[in-house]
Amino acid sequence: MQSVSGFRLTTTEVFAYPTICFVVILWCRYKWNRRHLDKLAAGLKGPPAYPIIGSALQFIGTPEEIMDNIIKLIKDYSPEPFKICMGPYFGVAIVKPEDVQIVLNSSRALQKDRFYNFVKNIFGEGLLTAPVDKWRKHRRLITPSFNSILLNEFFPVYNEKSKMLIRNLKSELNKTQPFDLWDYIAPITLNLICQNAMGYNLDSQSKSGSEFEKAMIKASELDSIRVSKPWLYPSIMFSLYLKLKGYSNVFNSLYKLPLKMIHKKREEFAQKKIGNESNYLDVTDNERKHSKVFLDTLFELNEAGANFSYDDIRDEVVTMMIGGSETNAITLCFCVLLLAIYPSIQDKVYDEIYDVLGDGDQTITIEDTSKLLYLDQVLKETLRLFPVIPLILRQLQGDVKIISNNIVLPKGSTCYLSPLATHRDSDSYPNPTSFDPENFSPENIAKRHKYSFIGFSGGPRGCIGSKYAMLSMKVLVATFLRNYSVHTDCKFNDIKLRLDLLLRSSNGYPVTIRTRDRRPVYIKLEYI
């Protein structure tokens, strides 16, 4: 017992009362600092939020269940802004195109949310995940690598790899048992980005490519599990989980191929630097200039004082490989599957390809792709329905005012931007869940807000490789349909989605193929 001026306290009480007072003071300070957030939250609808965990229960479950919950949230609350609390972190989901435009273009909304830290074991601090200051520097330096002249020089590789896809698919020709498109398209898109951006041909390194693909899918699954299980947020707990599950080497396997390419290119660069150009004696200056690839650019920038660390180069290479292969492969698989589900649309695409390219085997040029207007509509409609990145999270560095109800989004809050939700807004698309390439006819595009389609995000942090993606996908689809017709028993409503880091089909992309009869599907009459 302790006595203070006749007031008696136990030893426990001596420690307990100050502790309670300290906790109350911290709580009051916390609530005071959040008063603007709480005031905004009180005026917004949203899923139930509980103490400590917030609305996190909505994002716990299998990848399929998480995707179903996201779609349900969109149906229940969009298109108006609605609140989402992830643990103690307050966020607002933005759906309307005019609001999306404001957020994506605001200098106060360039910072990626803290949840992107969970994927840095894959991407490091490449363009996707880098803090704003680092992103500004790297983006400014890297952007010239995707200018129109260099994109045009990629076409020989586009055509070469497209023909490789056709040869590989011959083993599935005229079979009645469906095969999964992913098994054939994913290796080709990886091969494409490695040769075009890294100067590394995977044709003779198929084992390395296969190992990278498998590691990428498994790493994506593991990181998505981490996001949905708060007890795995601490790095030590996640590392322990990986060891217990036997996945300790997944991320090391993911880096093997990128590091091999960097090492090879570094040796080449060092040889040129010391004047050992024996391998280049018969090459003109013009040819050398045009043979430069993305990885060459990184080393040259570093030599010129850009101060890229080895980790910086590795992170940008991994980001480019995944962004240029995995995302394209998913979109291509969805696109070809949709064309199999809707044979009349497939026929219309083929007619356009026939009109532009004829029935020969000539290579496709950049001028040819500019004439494939309906194919462009089909690809964009695919991205509208199945955006590869269905969620974009930005942490606000200052207050941002949006148009809807003149809401001011407070500094420190998170903006949840969902291309999936924006693309399925009935105000922009009358039949939002139907596959209709006419949504992207010039007339319909003119009627809609510019940011009603954000398949490649938008604003300053939009996708750096959007033109590369569209050109490569056009060549691959056009070459595919020139040689094969594609069929499936799958219906649109049979497509079930799952979310790891990217949006995928749970049941793969099952199709069969037949030899294409190279003639127009519709006979056109010409009047003289």
Side-chain angles (χ1 to χ4, degrees):
M1 304 292 288
Q2 304 290 329
S3 176
V4 181
S5 300
F7 184 74
R8 300 172 65 81
L9 294 173
T10 65
T11 302
T12 301
E13 289 172 328
V14 168
F15 289 101
Y17 291 148
T19 301
I20 293 171
C21 291
F22 180 70
V23 170
V24 170
I25 291 170
L26 286 180
W27 175 253
C28 291
R29 183 181 178 184
Y30 171 75
K31 294 299 289 183
W32 175 256
N33 291 337
R34 284 179 54 93
R35 64 192 185 281
H36 301 301
L37 301 179
D38 291 339
K39 181 179 179 181
L40 176 59
L44 294 177
K45 295 181 179 179
Y50 304 99
I52 302 178
I53 65 171
S55 303
L57 292 177
Q58 302 289 330
F59 303 94
I60 292 178
T62 65
E64 291 81 7
E65 290 169 343
I66 292 172
M67 196 65 244
D68 288 342
N69 289 341
I70 290 173
I71 292 173
K72 186 176 186 303
L73 288 176
I74 292 170
K75 289 180 179 178
D76 290 345
Y77 300 107
S78 68
E80 297 301 322
F82 60 93
K83 62 184 176 184
I84 299 177
C85 297
M86 293 297 289
Y89 305 115
F90 173 78
V92 179
I94 304 297
V95 176
K96 291 186 175 181
E98 55 269 27
D99 296 332
V100 171
Q101 181 180 25
I102 291 171
V103 173
L104 287 179
N105 287 280
S106 173
S107 61
R108 299 174 177 179
L110 294 175
Q111 180 66 41
K112 295 298 183 75
D113 186 72
R114 56 185 62 84
F115 279 97
Y116 283 80
N117 292 333
F118 294 145
V119 299
K120 286 187 177 180
N121 49 19
I122 294 177
F123 298 98
E125 288 193 346
L127 288 179
L128 177 68
T129 57
V132 175
D133 291 343
K134 189 173 186 177
W135 164 79
R136 286 186 196 278
K137 174 190 172 184
H138 287 201
R139 176 82 181 217
R140 175 174 52 82
L141 294 170
I142 291 172
T143 294
S145 299
F146 289 89
N147 62 57
S148 57
I149 295 175
L150 289 174
L151 288 173
N152 190 27
E153 293 173 3
F154 291 160
F155 270 75
V157 181
Y158 290 162
N159 282 286
E160 176 192 341
K161 304 309 177 187
S162 296
K163 291 175 182 178
M164 180 187 298
L165 173 63
I166 299 307
R167 292 195 299 271
N168 293 344
L169 283 169
K170 282 185 178 180
S171 61
E172 302 290 349
L173 193 58
N174 298 323
K175 290 184 179 179
T176 57
Q177 187 69 24
F179 66 92
D180 192 343
L181 282 165
W182 179 264
D183 297 334
Y184 292 90
I185 289 179
I188 294 296
T189 57
L190 178 61
N191 204 328
L192 268 174
I193 195 66
C194 285
Q195 188 156 343
N196 276 330
M198 315 301 167
Y200 193 86
N201 192 337
L202 275 179
D203 289 356
S204 59
Q205 299 288 335
S206 58
K207 184 178 179 181
S208 296
S210 176
E211 184 179 13
F212 178 85
E213 292 166 20
K214 292 176 181 177
M216 172 57 205
I217 292 175
K218 179 52 67 175
S220 298
E221 292 175 355
L222 291 170
D223 277 348
S224 65
I225 289 172
R226 186 182 186 185
V227 171
S228 64
K229 298 183 186 300
W231 54 90
L232 294 180
Y233 287 2
S235 296
I236 188 170
M237 295 301 296
F238 187 57
S239 297
L240 181 60
Y241 174 82
L242 294 178
K243 288 181 180 179
L244 291 174
K245 293 293 184 178
Y247 297 132
S248 299
N249 292 324
V250 167
F251 297 98
N252 291 331
S253 298
L254 179 69
Y255 283 134
K256 277 185 182 179
L257 177 59
L259 293 178
K260 183 188 294 185
M261 291 190 295
I262 293 170
H263 180 70
K264 180 175 182 291
K265 185 61 67 175
R266 174 189 266 181
E267 287 184 339
E268 292 176 0
F269 190 81
Q271 288 177 355
K272 287 189 285 184
K273 185 179 177 182
I274 62 175
N276 181 11
E277 298 194 357
S278 58
N279 295 328
Y280 304 93
L281 292 177
D282 298 325
V283 184
T284 67
D285 290 340
N286 188 52
E287 288 171 330
R288 287 175 191 166
K289 180 181 177 182
H290 287 180
S291 65
K292 187 192 303 182
V293 295
F294 170 75
L295 196 46
D296 289 319
T297 301
L298 290 183
F299 281 109
E300 288 182 6
L301 287 169
N302 213 28
E303 185 69 18
N307 294 322
F308 284 109
S309 68
Y310 187 80
D311 286 348
D312 288 338
I313 293 175
R314 180 203 63 194
D315 295 345
E316 296 299 353
V317 167
V318 172
T319 298
M320 192 63 64
M321 287 177 64
I322 296 172
S325 65
E326 198 80 0
T327 56
N328 282 10
I330 293 171
T331 301
L332 283 165
C333 288
F334 272 123
C335 179
V336 175
L337 178 61
L338 287 168
L339 291 176
I341 293 172
Y342 297 95
S344 61
I345 295 176
Q346 180 184 167
D347 290 343
K348 190 171 180 179
V349 174
Y350 175 70
D351 281 346
E352 179 183 68
I353 294 169
Y354 187 92
D355 288 343
V356 173
L357 300 172
D359 61 355
D361 291 316
Q362 71 273 25
T363 57
I364 302 174
T365 66
I366 195 168
E367 291 78 16
D368 293 330
T369 60
S370 66
K371 299 174 185 176
L372 297 174
L373 302 178
Y374 190 67
L375 176 55
D376 187 86
Q377 293 177 213
V378 168
L379 286 166
K380 288 179 178 176
E381 178 68 354
T382 302
L383 280 166
R384 182 187 73 82
L385 286 168
F386 305 110
V388 180
I389 300 179
L391 289 173
I392 302 168
L393 282 66
R394 298 287 177 87
Q395 186 177 353
L396 300 187
Q397 304 301 295
D399 293 351
V400 176
K401 185 177 182 179
I402 59 175
I403 294 174
S404 294
N405 302 321
N406 289 319
I407 291 174
V408 176
L409 305 173
K411 176 182 178 180
S413 59
T414 298
C415 268
Y416 295 89
L417 306 170
S418 173
L420 191 71
T422 300
H423 292 175
R424 300 191 181 203
D425 179 10
S426 58
D427 291 338
S428 299
Y429 302 96
N431 299 300
T433 57
S434 298
F435 179 61
D436 183 8
E438 290 303 319
N439 281 321
F440 289 91
S441 66
E443 299 78 16
N444 286 327
I445 289 175
K447 296 175 186 176
R448 293 194 305 268
H449 192 283
K450 179 182 177 180
Y451 278 72
S452 61
F453 176 71
I454 48 173
F456 295 101
S457 186
R461 290 201 82 158
C463 178
I464 194 174
S466 57
K467 290 182 180 178
Y468 171 91
M470 289 300 294
L471 290 173
S472 62
M473 289 192 294
K474 279 186 177 182
V475 175
L476 281 164
V477 174
T479 306
F480 187 108
L481 292 183
R482 289 175 82 186
N483 289 272
Y484 303 124
S485 61
V486 59
H487 311 270
T488 188
D489 293 329
C490 179
K491 305 299 180 186
F492 184 86
N493 291 333
D494 294 334
I495 299 175
K496 303 301 179 185
L497 302 177
R498 66 183 178 90
L499 179 64
D500 42 47
L501 299 184
L502 304 174
L503 185 69
R504 305 175 190 269
S505 168
S506 293
N507 303 319
Y509 312 87
V511 299
T512 58
I513 56 172
R514 301 171 194 162
T515 302
R516 170 71 68 180
D517 182 9
R518 292 197 173 191
R519 58 181 174 78
V521 178
Y522 302 111
I523 299 176
K524 299 181 179 181
L525 299 177
E526 296 183 1
Y527 297 92
I528 301 176

